[in-house]
Amino acid sequence: MKAFRIAMVLFLAAFPAWAQHEEVVNPRQSPEDVAVGGRIFRSHCAVCHGLGGVGDRAPNLTTGQFRHATSDSALHEVVSRGIPGTEMPGVYFNGAEVWQVVAYVRSLSGAATDEKITGDVAAGQKVYASKSCARCHRVNSEGGRSGPDLSRIGGSRSQAHLRAAVVNPNEKVLPNQWRFSGATKDGTIVSGRLLNEDTYTVQMFDARLGLMSLAKADMASYEVLKESAMPSYEGSIAGKDLDDLTAYLASLR
Amino acid sequence: MKYTMRLAAGLLFAATLTAQVTSERLLNAAQEPGNWLTYSGTYQSQRYSPLDQITRENASKLKLSWVFQASSLQKFEATPLVVDGVMYLTQAPNDVVALDAKTGRKFWTYNHQLPETINVCCGAVNRGLAILGDQLFMGTVDGYLLALDATTGAVNWKTKVVEYKNGYSLTVAPLIVKGKVIVGTAGGEYGIRGFLDAYDAQTGEQAWRFYTIPGPGEPGHETWEGDSWMTGGGSAWVTGSYDPELNLVYWGIGNPAPDWNGDVRMGDNLYTDSAVALDADTGKLKWHFQFTPHDEWDWDSVQVPVLVDREFQGRMRKVILWGNRNGHFYVLDRATGEYLLGKAFVHQTWNDGLDEKGRPKTRQAAAPSIEGTKVYPGVQGGTNWYSPSYSPQTGLFYLSVWEYASTYHKNDPIYAEGHRFLGSLPRRVEGDPGYGAIRALDPETGEMEWEFRMVEVTNSGLLSTSTGVLFSGSNEGHFLALDARNGQEIWRTNLGGRAYASPITYTVDGEQQISIAAGNALFTFVLGE
């Protein structure tokens, strides 16, 4: 316990400098710190960034380049507070533990698997058009609204995740993509993306009817489907087409 | 005519304001249901009102009377007090406001300035005030206990209770017992050593302290390995109850620290996650009952102890009813602490039942892990700190519940004074949000009599009345009146904000009112035509 306390006094001595946004050396860089940071990463970061930080639903962290942070201080800030406007939350740990995560993330740089773009972006854009992706998806204000807006999707998803989402869209369906399907008592069939729900009402987007707010008491039947509205393109987009489409999606940032 | 009456009533307030709330009035609070004199209404903490103007038949005619908008974006967790037509409440973090309870118009505001850096895990909040004589009492997030003049809001005395820089804070509504002001500290996520303190209401001098973690040489100290007792948590941030006949104060004690890694604090970790009964005069421990030994899920036992005198298993008993965060409902004998009944009230996967003394047969497989262990109930528990209610009229115990799981992770905790000391953090199970409900339990068996199910979980406390109505807020923003016999909805309105406190009811000029905080405002309803 005493050793802990002495270590923390040293750490706290460095803290005010960081608080003023001056560059500080990460005070938690020992191999033990990297190991502890790695365990925290497995618990709290790997679910999106993948084991070993290779990227999945969240970006690959092994390239040595971080879109939202160029310094250790900035990484500390990102891990502590999250990135506003993205799915990245801050973690609720004390400063020393955040530094350990930063040390672990730094240790990943160049370690293994910087993803190489193998497809052709321009060809991928043609695949996107030929398969009518824009019927449901939107890129830079063009396209449908029933699926997720893809304008910046390459900045937040790994290529492997994008590829998997095309061939197996039901593998990971986030709650903001759940669907609501039902029939009102007057016979209207509604189906679309679930936006909000409470005990009495549901708010949804139906591609045909637009934004709808329904009273459950007026519904003859309804269900919440925790599955994607997107069909699987397994087999129908494959080989070079899939490489090219993935490259195109990865280029959207 | 009406103006004259209000004026006359106002003059009456002025005449009676001094020594307005005596100890006798607090003891007999149930005899004056037109007022709301303590955090939980009475020392028994049943949150049950004998007022009978609002009934199952006419509750659907409730209409908005006035709204008090707080100048605060913090969660509104405070239960107001109402004394002879004057409402006293806190505006988070630590402003005190006195209002005309008839109109919602302000008499005065006391502003308490906090330092820029404060240590609170879960919002700079406050749960309310206590009153004795003509003084109001409030604990502050930066660790002070204040006595204010109830007429003017002037500070009579200010005593430093805790050092906020070390992770301690006061968010609890104080409890007044026999001229003493009792408060417990918050800070269970900061490696504190928790305690309950009593202060002389007149002078602010400390009368006694009870450490929730026994020191060297004290019984229970052996339940902490090594020095872990020094940073073992055991906060006490929700108001307790009092039995004047037994002269015992009952309080729920919070989680051990670090929350989710018990390896560095081997042992049962007394008196965390326990009910404690203390001698009101000395603070000495009379008995304890630990709900969750060696907790690794953050299941504070900071619920309000509900004191009930009723027949139990064939004979009249003085019992405590306790819906615990660990997902189990308990009945304890409150004279001795004897365990009488325990039964899960939500789905749970962390134990194989309770033994004959109420100790859980904890499953090893439910312990947190690096990759995460999915366990029911989730980290917010089957219920939490929000007040339950007991109705002597229906004989049922009502509580707000969460049916959900968390994934409990475990990492290496680093202790640093004044910093978070957690040992990781649980996560919600994505795609499996669970749901909330209000449930009614039969205290004789622990069986559920009915439930009112909601899509979202709920943080609202409850209020029952002699006319068979149960009131609650919700996370969805609704204010609800249910039939206390069967859970059928009688009336609802949308207040557009989450309820983090409990509804209260009282009278002004003989007319029954009901108030509930939702979002950042307090809404007051009366019967319409």
Side-chain angles (χ1 to χ4, degrees):
Chain A
M1 186 62 78
K2 200 168 227 174
F4 269 150
R5 290 201 171 148
I6 291 167
M8 278 317 299
V9 167
L10 293 173
F11 160 67
L12 290 172
F15 190 81
W18 169 75
Q20 291 163 29
H21 298 283
E22 291 169 16
E23 279 314 309
V24 294
V25 176
N26 183 347
R28 289 277 181 173
Q29 298 197 67
S30 72
E32 293 74 27
D33 289 321
V34 171
V36 173
R39 287 196 285 277
I40 296 175
F41 191 93
R42 275 163 62 192
S43 290
H44 293 277
C45 314
V47 63
C48 293
H49 287 285
L51 277 174
V54 297
D56 183 3
R57 175 176 151 191
N60 183 347
L61 300 176
T62 65
T63 65
Q65 292 189 318
F66 305 100
R67 187 186 174 97
H68 294 276
T70 53
S71 64
D72 278 2
S73 305
L75 271 175
H76 190 289
E77 183 90 353
V78 162
V79 175
S80 301
R81 298 173 186 233
I83 304 171
T86 74
E87 295 168 43
M88 169 77 182
V91 296
Y92 186 81
F93 293 119
N94 75 36
E97 291 161 334
V98 173
W99 280 125
Q100 290 172 321
V101 173
V102 170
Y104 173 73
V105 169
R106 283 289 190 201
S107 79
L108 299 173
S109 294
T113 53
D114 185 6
E115 291 181 308
K116 295 287 183 286
I117 306 275
T118 54
D120 179 274
V121 172
Q125 189 165 8
K126 287 182 183 151
V127 175
Y128 183 88
S130 71
K131 294 293 181 182
S132 302
C133 302
R135 208 160 54 113
C136 298
H137 292 288
R138 210 165 174 80
V139 173
N140 298 330
S141 305
E142 287 186 19
R145 292 185 171 95
S146 54
D149 189 309
L150 302 177
S151 302
R152 297 166 70 85
I153 198 70
S156 58
R157 305 280 194 263
S158 72
Q159 286 191 61
H161 185 98
L162 292 170
R163 180 184 292 265
V166 172
V167 298
N168 189 7
N170 263 328
E171 171 120 356
K172 284 179 185 166
V173 184
L174 302 180
N176 64 4
Q177 295 302 325
W178 287 357
R179 290 192 299 139
F180 180 83
S181 177
T184 62
K185 284 179 179 166
D186 66 11
T188 308
I189 303 296
V190 295
S191 177
R193 189 146 54 92
L194 178 66
L195 300 176
N196 197 14
E197 182 189 9
D198 72 6
T199 303
Y200 309 97
T201 68
V202 62
Q203 291 71 43
M204 59 168 289
F205 176 74
D206 181 308
R208 193 167 43 93
L209 301 169
L211 289 174
M212 304 193 73
S213 187
L214 302 162
K216 290 179 177 176
D218 295 337
M219 302 294 293
S221 65
Y222 64 86
E223 59 183 330
V224 173
L225 301 165
K226 298 181 181 182
E227 58 190 44
S228 175
M230 178 167 149
S232 167
Y233 285 85
E234 188 167 17
S236 72
I237 303 177
K240 183 173 182 308
D241 280 355
L242 185 56
D243 290 344
D244 293 344
L245 178 62
T246 304
Y248 169 63
L249 294 173
S251 76
L252 298 173
R253 285 164 189 259
Chain B
M1 181 62 184
K2 202 158 193 178
Y3 175 78
T4 315
M5 281 175 62
R6 290 289 298 153
L7 190 62
L11 291 170
L12 193 64
F13 295 153
T16 58
L17 211 53
T18 49
Q20 54 178 196
V21 181
T22 59
S23 289
E24 287 67 35
R25 285 183 74 183
L26 294 178
L27 281 169
N28 299 309
Q31 309 305 316
E32 46 175 310
N35 291 317
W36 195 273
L37 297 179
T38 69
Y39 176 71
S40 299
T42 67
Y43 280 140
Q44 290 74 40
S45 303
Q46 295 178 0
R47 285 192 186 255
Y48 166 83
S49 173
L51 294 179
D52 58 6
Q53 293 174 22
I54 300 168
T55 65
R56 283 194 298 268
E57 289 70 35
N58 65 19
S60 59
K61 293 182 180 159
L62 282 167
K63 63 164 193 184
L64 187 65
S65 176
W66 54 262
V67 181
F68 168 74
Q69 291 283 352
S71 301
S72 169
L73 294 177
Q74 296 285 347
K75 286 178 285 186
F76 200 141
E77 296 192 358
T79 296
L81 303 179
V82 178
V83 184
D84 305 332
V86 181
M87 176 180 285
Y88 302 99
L89 70 156
T90 58
Q91 170 177 278
N94 289 125
D95 296 340
V96 182
V97 179
L99 305 171
D100 172 6
K102 181 79 172 180
T103 61
R105 298 293 299 170
K106 226 183 264 186
F107 290 121
W108 51 259
T109 304
Y110 163 77
N111 294 109
H112 181 78
Q113 293 296 317
L114 289 175
E116 279 188 18
T117 52
I118 47 169
N119 280 326
V120 281
C121 70
C122 316
V125 297
N126 177 276
R127 299 192 187 82
L129 303 161
I131 190 164
L132 179 67
D134 57 0
Q135 291 195 114
L136 296 163
F137 304 92
M138 172 177 66
T140 68
V141 169
D142 57 342
Y144 290 93
L145 179 62
L146 270 60
L148 305 182
D149 184 320
T151 311
T152 64
V155 177
N156 288 342
W157 55 257
K158 177 178 178 181
T159 296
K160 185 172 179 177
V161 175
V162 292
E163 175 54 62
Y164 79 90
K165 290 175 183 165
N166 296 346
Y168 295 82
S169 56
L170 297 179
T171 57
V172 68
L175 181 71
I176 306 291
V177 176
K178 295 167 80 174
K180 297 185 181 70
V181 189
I182 304 175
V183 289
T185 180
E189 276 63 55
Y190 290 82
I192 62 163
R193 182 187 177 204
F195 57 81
L196 282 162
D197 270 2
Y199 294 87
D200 184 292
Q202 287 306 315
T203 65
E205 284 176 22
Q206 191 183 70
W208 52 255
R209 169 168 290 189
F210 169 75
Y211 276 107
T212 60
I213 299 178
E218 294 178 305
H221 183 70
E222 71 286 354
T223 64
W224 295 87
E225 186 185 40
D227 287 340
S228 61
W229 63 278
M230 297 171 75
T231 54
S235 53
W237 46 276
V238 170
T239 310
S241 306
Y242 172 59
D243 183 327
E245 286 179 20
L246 297 169
N247 197 35
L248 291 177
V249 171
Y250 304 95
W251 217 280
I253 308 302
N255 60 281
D259 303 45
W260 298 285
N261 185 339
D263 295 351
V264 297
R265 49 172 172 80
M266 293 307 288
D268 278 359
N269 307 142
L270 289 172
Y271 298 101
T272 65
D273 291 359
S274 300
V276 295
L278 307 180
D279 183 295
D281 300 323
T282 65
K284 299 281 186 232
L285 183 72
K286 176 80 183 297
W287 60 256
H288 77 277
F289 177 84
Q290 189 175 40
F291 302 97
T292 315
H294 193 69
D295 173 19
E296 293 191 288
W297 305 274
D298 189 24
W299 290 330
D300 295 73
S301 294
V302 293
Q303 295 74 44
V304 174
V306 178
L307 312 188
V308 176
D309 296 343
R310 62 171 278 161
E311 193 166 293
F312 184 82
Q313 294 175 352
R315 70 176 172 103
M316 280 301 292
R317 291 191 87 133
K318 280 165 136 348
V319 298
I320 304 185
L321 307 182
W322 202 300
N324 195 274
R325 187 165 165 176
N326 73 13
H328 295 64
F329 169 75
Y330 296 84
V331 183
L332 306 176
D333 183 305
R334 72 173 183 269
T336 62
E338 182 190 352
Y339 165 80
L340 302 177
L341 178 79
K343 187 174 173 60
F345 61 86
V346 290
H347 179 54
Q348 68 86 15
T349 60
W350 65 279
N351 71 59
D352 290 311
L354 310 179
D355 72 14
E356 70 280 2
K357 292 197 167 164
R359 185 185 175 89
K361 300 169 190 168
T362 303
R363 292 179 184 161
Q364 290 287 319
S369 57
I370 293 176
E371 264 73 27
T373 310
K374 184 179 174 183
V375 174
Y376 289 85
V379 65
Q380 295 297 328
T383 189
N384 202 325
W385 63 274
Y386 13 90
S387 296
S389 178
Y390 173 79
S391 165
Q393 191 229 16
T394 62
L396 296 174
F397 179 77
Y398 305 98
L399 77 174
S400 297
V401 308
W402 292 30
E403 276 287 3
Y404 88 121
S406 287
T407 306
Y408 292 88
H409 295 272
K410 173 184 188 169
N411 290 124
D412 314 70
I414 296 175
Y415 177 77
E417 199 164 59
H419 289 256
R420 287 171 190 150
F421 186 48
L422 303 171
S424 201
L425 200 68
R427 301 170 55 85
R428 292 201 81 151
V429 181
E430 194 161 53
D432 186 10
Y435 64 92
I438 298 163
R439 286 186 177 160
L441 308 181
D442 178 357
E444 183 78 11
T445 61
E447 295 286 345
M448 183 171 82
E449 285 287 311
W450 56 256
E451 81 164 350
F452 177 83
R453 186 167 166 164
M454 295 176 275
V455 167
E456 287 193 38
V457 296
T458 171
N459 291 278
S460 177
L462 304 171
L463 168 73
S464 61
T465 71
S466 65
T467 51
V469 187
L470 182 70
F471 291 98
S472 178
S474 77
N475 269 20
E476 298 175 358
H478 298 110
F479 180 35
L480 301 158
L482 307 181
D483 186 328
R485 298 170 302 183
N486 53 32
Q488 293 293 308
E489 182 180 304
I490 298 169
W491 170 82
R492 74 170 184 272
T493 190
N494 187 349
L495 302 180
R498 289 183 172 188
Y500 282 102
S502 308
I504 63 165
T505 190
Y506 51 92
T507 56
V508 183
D509 297 345
E511 182 181 21
Q512 187 177 358
Q513 301 192 161
I514 183 159
S515 298
I516 182 167
N520 303 107
L522 184 86
F523 298 82
T524 294
F525 292 83
V526 295
L527 280 175
E529 299 304 319

